[in-house]
C-alpha cells in the first residue's frame, strides 16, 4: 500500500488507524482536508455549506474525548460530507431548491445521527441536483476535468470524496445518482440493499427506489460506515480470495450504450481478474430484465407524482417545471403501467438472487456509459447501467482504477443478491487491489 | 339523512356544505368541537396537545378569507387531528416517547401541508402508541366504554373522530393501526394504496408497510381528503349501485379469531347487502395468502431493525425495550426469512388484483376480531384481520354501523385492488347507507 504524505490523501480507514494510535489527530486530518478544499473548491464547487472554523472546533472536541480500550469507534474523529437533501440539524438543507434556500431542519436525518453517535462529524453539505430528482443541476464540476460533470444527483458528495476533500460522504440513488458519480470521480461507493438503512430525514422521490449510499476512498472506508449502520453480517465478513472467485460478467441489455471508456474498463477488469485467478464467465440476464430500466422510469415518475404535491400546492411559483410535470402526471402514467412496472421488478428480484450460489459469487457490470460527459450544467450523464440494480433492490459497489481515453476515471460495478451486502464488501475488498493501482 | 343539531355532530362534508353556503362559520364549528372535547377529554383522552384559543384564532382567520366563486376547497375551515408521530411545525410531536417529550419539528409532514393548502387547519395532536410501533400505549380510552381500548396505534385519532371531537383525523397503519381503531370507535376510515400518499414527516417503522390513512364521519369525508391529496380517479368517481354489486365475502384464513361481534357484523352486512340487491358470494383466498400475516410480522420487525438504530445509539436509556429488541433482532429474523416474506407478498399482490373484474367488484371482510377489548393500558386489540391488506398494499375502508353484544361498534372492511381507491370509495358511498343507520 502506498504511504500518503498528507492526511487528506488518506482513506478514512488509514486516517482512523492513525487516530486510534494517536499518531494523527482529528484536528490535523480536518485541517488537511480544509486545505485541500480551499485549494480546490473554487473549481470543483462540491460544497454548498462549509464553516472551516466550526469543523476545526468539532475535531478538537473529538480529540479531547477520552479513549477507553476498545471503546472508540473506528469512525471517531472522521469528517464526512452530506448530500444537501439529507437533513442536518446544525446546518441548512437547501435541496438545491429556491423553495428552501435557508431551510434549517430541526433534526438530523437518522444516518447523520448514527454517524455522530460513532464519533464522526459533519464537515459540510454537498451540492445536489434539485431534490435529487431533476430541475437544477449542482454547480459541482468534475475534479479531473472542470469542463465535465461529476455525475449526479450526488454531485458534490462524489466529487468531494474523489478529490480528497473529505474521506467519506453520503449520497442517494433512485436511478443512478450514487454509483455513477462514484465512477466519474474515481471514488469507492456502495448502494446497499433497499430498506437496510433508514431513509428518514432525506427527501423522497420514489420510496420503492430511494436508497441511501456512501462514498469512501477504499473498500475499508465503506466497511467503516457499514459497521456503524450495523449492516447484517458485517461483523463476520468472510475471507475471500480472488483465486477461484466465480465472476459473472453482465453486459446487461444496455451494452449498446457502452462507450470506449466503459468497454475498456470492462475488458481490463475481466483480464486482470482472470490473471489473478478468478473464473470470469459471460452472464446473460433473463429476457424480462431487458424491461427493467423502463420499469424503473415508470416507478420513479409514478411514485414521484405524490412526493412533490405539498410543494406544488404551497410553493407552485418556485417549484421547477420538472416537478410540476410529475405532479400533473405529464407522462400519463396509468395505474396499469405502474403496476406492470412494480410487479415486473418484484418478479425479477428472486430470479436475480437465485443466480448466485456455487456457480456464481458476484456480478461484474458497468458503472456508467463511459467517462464523465461535458456540459455539467446540462447533464449528469446517463443512468442506464444503474437503474436496473436500484429497482432490483440489490447491493452494488463501485470499484475505481481504470482511466478512459481522456484520462478520466471509469469504474466497474460489483453486484450481489439482496442482503448479500457484507459478502459483497468482502469480495470488493479482495477485488479492489486487482483493479485499483491505489489499492494494490 | 338525519339533521344534526350541533356542528360537532356533523360530518366534515355536512359542515363544509354549510360553510360554503355561509350558513356556518369555521369558528362556530371549531367552538362546537371544542365544547365536545371539553366535555369528553377527561375520559377519552384523545389529545396530547390542544390549544383551544389557537384553534379559534385559526378558524377566525379562515373565516376572513375571501371566497371567489368555486375557488374555495371543500376542506376550507375544517379542523383535523394529527396522530402524534406525524410532524407538525406549529405544535410538538412527541411520538409518545420519553426521548421526544418537547420535540418541536421545524416542518409539517407533507400530508399536513397538503391539508393546510386546502384551507383546513390542525386542531391538535392525537395520542398514539409509542412510535406507532410498540412500547407505551396511548392514554386514550374507548369513547363507548372507558374501560376498553380505542384500538391503536392510531388511538387518539380514531377515538376523536368516532366521538365527534373533530370531523377528520390522520392515522397510520403498519399492521392494523388504522382500520382497527376505526372499527372500535365507530368511525369511517381509509387506508389507501401504499405509496399513493407521501409518508414524509411521519415516523417510520417498516417502509414496505407504513401507510398513512385518515378518519372521517362519512364516506364523503374520506373523499374530501382524497380530493386534496389528488387521489387517482377521485375527480371521476363512478356511480355505483348496490343493486347488482358483486361482493366477495372473505372470512380470510384468520376467521377462527372472529368473535361474536364480528361474526354478527359480517352476517348482518351480508344480509343487508343481499336485501339491497347485491350479489354476495363467499370468496376463498388462495392458500399462499394463509401465510401473509406471518409474512407481515417478519417484514415489520425485519425492517424495523434499522428504523430505531439512531435512537438506540443516541438514546439507549430512554428507548423502550420493545425497540431495543428490534435493533438487536431479538426475533432472529434472517435475511432468508425476510426475503421469503417480501417475495411472498410481492407474488400475492397481482394474484389479489386479478380477483377483481366482471365477477367481483369488492371484497367484504372483517375490520377487527370483535368489539374493543378491555385493559386499554395493556392491549390495543389484535390486528389479525388487517395485517394482510397492509402487506398487500391494497386500499381498505372501514364502514361502521353494527353494534356488538355489548353495544360497542364493530365495523366491516371493504377492500379493492391496488390503485382502485377511488372506485372503492364510490362503492363505499353506495354501501354505507345500507350498513350504517347514521348514513341512511
Amino acid at each position: 500500500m502506498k504511504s500518503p504524505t498528507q492526511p487528506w490523501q488518506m482513506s478514512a480507514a488509514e486516517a482512523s488507524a492513525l487516530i486510534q494510535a494517536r499518531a494523527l489527530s482529528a484536528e490535523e486530518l480536518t485541517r488537511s482536508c480544509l486545505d485541500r478544499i480551499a485549494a480546490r473548491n473554487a473549481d470543483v464547487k462540491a460544497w454548498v455549506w462549509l464553516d472551516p472554523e466550526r469543523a476545526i472546533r468539532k475535531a478538537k472536541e473529538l480529540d479531547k474525548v477520552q479513549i477507553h480500550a476498545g471503546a472508540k469507534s473506528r469512525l471517531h474523529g472522521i469528517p464526512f460530507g452530506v448530500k444537501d437533501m439529507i437533513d442536518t440539524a446544525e446546518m441548512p438543507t437547501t435541496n438545491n431548491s429556491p423553495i428552501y434556500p435557508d431551510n434549517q431542519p430541526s433534526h438530523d436525518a437518522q444516518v447523520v445521527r448514527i454517524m455522530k453517535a460513532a464519533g464522526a462529524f459533519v464537515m459540510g453539505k454537498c451540492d445536489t441536483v434539485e431534490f435529487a430528482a431533476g430541475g437544477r443541476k449542482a454547480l459541482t464540476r468534475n475534479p479531473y476535468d472542470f469542463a465535465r460533470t461529476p455525475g449526479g444527483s450526488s454531485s458534490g458528495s462524489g466529487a468531494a470524496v474523489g478529490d480528497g476533500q473529505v474521506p467519506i460522504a453520503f449520497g442517494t440513488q433512485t436511478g443512478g445518482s450514487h454509483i455513477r458519480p462514484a465512477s466519474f470521480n474515481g471514488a469507492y461507493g456502495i448502494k446497499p440493499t433497499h430498506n437496510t438503512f433508514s431513509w428518514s430525514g432525506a427527501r423522497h422521490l420514489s420510496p420503492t427506489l430511494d436508497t441511501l449510499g456512501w462514498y469512501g476512498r477504499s473498500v475499508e472506508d465503506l466497511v467503516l460506515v457499514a459497521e456503524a449502520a450495523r449492516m447484517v453480517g458485517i461483523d463476520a465478513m468472510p475471507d475471500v480470495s480472488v483465486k477461484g472467485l466465480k465472476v459473472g460478467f453482465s453486459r446487461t441489455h444496455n451494452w449498446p450504450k457502452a462507450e470506449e471508456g466503459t468497454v475498456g474498463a470492462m475488458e481490463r477488469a475481466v483480464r486482470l481478474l482472470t490473471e489473478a485467478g478468478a473464473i470470469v464467465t459471460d452472464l446473460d440476464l433473463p429476457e424480462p430484465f431487458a424491461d427493467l430500466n423502463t420499469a424503473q422510469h415508470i416507478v420513479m415518475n409514478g411514485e414521484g407524482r405524490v412526493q412533490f404535491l405539498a410543494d406544488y400546492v404551497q410553493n407552485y411559483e418556485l417549484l421547477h417545471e420538472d416537478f410540476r410535470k410529475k405532479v400533473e402526471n405529464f407522462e400519463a402514467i396509468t395505474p396499469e403501467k405502474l403496476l406492470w412496472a412494480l410487479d415486473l421488478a418484484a418478479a425479477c428480484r428472486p430470479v436475480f438472487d437465485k443466480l448466485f450460489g456455487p456457480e456464481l459469487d458476484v456480478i461484474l457490470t458497468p458503472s456508467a456509459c463511459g467517462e464523465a460527459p461535458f456540459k455539467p450544467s446540462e447533464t449528469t450523464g446517463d443512468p442506464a447501467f444503474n437503474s436496473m440494480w436500484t429497482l432490483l433492490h440489490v447491493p452494488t459497489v463501485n470499484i475505481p482504477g481504470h482511466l478512459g481515453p481522456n484520462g478520466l476515471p471509469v469504474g466497474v460495478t460489483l453486484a450481489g443478491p439482496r442482503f448479500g451486502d457484507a459478502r459483497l464488501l468482502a469480495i470488493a475488498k479482495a477485488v479492489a487491489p486487482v483493479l485499483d493501482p491505489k489499492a494494490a
Side-chain angles (χ1 to χ4, degrees), chain A residues 85-114:
Chain A
M85 40 63 78
I86 300 173
D87 284 351
T88 43
E90 298 175 79
M91 46 193 81
T93 301
T94 71
N95 297 299
N96 188 17
S97 154
I99 300 171
Y100 298 93
D102 307 307
N103 176 48
Q104 180 52 64
S106 51
H107 293 74
D108 284 322
Q110 295 223 8
V111 60
V112 174
R113 294 175 58 189
I114 289 164

Side-chain angles (χ1 to χ4, degrees), chain A residues 247-268:
Chain A
V247 179
F249 172 31
S250 173
R251 292 174 180 80
T252 80
H253 297 90
N254 308 298
W255 188 245
K257 290 198 168 189
E259 301 160 8
E260 186 183 346
T262 284
V263 172
M266 302 316 298
E267 285 174 354
R268 173 178 172 274

Side-chain angles (χ1 to χ4, degrees), chain A residues 9-81:
Chain A
Q9 294 173 290
M10 295 176 190
S11 69
E14 288 166 342
S16 169
L18 294 177
I19 289 173
Q20 303 275 329
R22 304 194 189 200
L24 177 73
S25 68
E27 182 185 353
E28 287 165 329
L29 171 62
T30 302
R31 286 190 186 275
S32 181
C33 289
L34 288 168
D35 287 347
R36 176 69 177 169
I37 292 171
R40 302 282 293 175
N41 199 43
D43 291 318
V44 179
K45 300 184 178 75
W47 304 89
V48 289
W49 195 96
L50 185 81
D51 178 348
E53 291 309 315
R54 179 189 176 282
I56 291 165
R57 199 168 60 242
K58 285 278 168 192
K60 281 180 172 173
E61 286 168 14
L62 290 162
D63 281 331
K64 282 182 197 159
V65 173
Q66 287 292 324
I67 314 173
H68 301 289
K72 196 177 256 188
S73 149
R74 293 209 290 159
L75 283 167
H76 193 95
I78 304 293
F80 63 100

